[in-house]
Amino acid sequence: MSPSWSALFDKSTLTWHGPYAELDKPADQDSVVIKPPAPQPLPKNMWDILTTTGTVLLCGALKPNFSPSEFKTAMNTRSLHAVLAPALLS
């Protein structure tokens, strides 16, 4: 669990808007928000889990259409990074 990272979600559209971080940085810099090209819709069952747990697993080093074998390779080579983060629902 990381208190530095969160994930932004929109309750009205059931979409994910990207990861957000409060990192150690100079006071004059904004917090980090990495936005996907467009808000990503979540299926209802994923939304139900998200609102029940209040957390999300953020994974990095992924690419579009990541296959199960590529995911397993990334795990085995330790090139897949993840953090359990709180969900910010707006």
Side-chain angles (χ1 to χ4, degrees), residues 29-50:
Q29 290 183 358
D30 290 333
S31 298
V32 176
V33 178
I34 305 165
K35 293 192 175 207
Q40 302 297 305
L42 297 176
K44 183 172 181 337
N45 61 341
M46 288 184 69
W47 186 259
D48 292 343
I49 292 169
L50 172 69

Side-chain angles (χ1 to χ4, degrees), residues 8-19 33-43 47 90:
L8 303 173
F9 296 90
D10 185 329
K11 291 188 290 192
S12 65
T13 60
L14 305 183
T15 54
W16 174 64
H17 286 258
V33 178
I34 305 165
K35 293 192 175 207
Q40 302 297 305
L42 297 176
W47 186 259
S90 62

Side-chain angles (χ1 to χ4, degrees), residues 64-86:
N65 303 317
F66 207 62
S67 74
S69 64
E70 290 172 313
F71 188 84
K72 185 176 179 183
T73 298
M75 287 191 317
N76 291 338
T77 60
R78 298 185 182 264
S79 61
L80 179 67
H81 303 282
V83 63
L84 185 62

Side-chain angles (χ1 to χ4, degrees), residues 1 46-57 84-87 89:
M1 183 72 165
M46 288 184 69
W47 186 259
D48 292 343
I49 292 169
L50 172 69
T51 56
T52 300
T53 65
T55 59
V56 64
L57 186 64
L84 185 62
L89 308 174

Side-chain angles (χ1 to χ4, degrees), residues 22-31:
E22 278 289 338
L23 304 173
D24 293 331
K25 61 192 175 336
D28 62 339
Q29 290 183 358
D30 290 333
S31 298

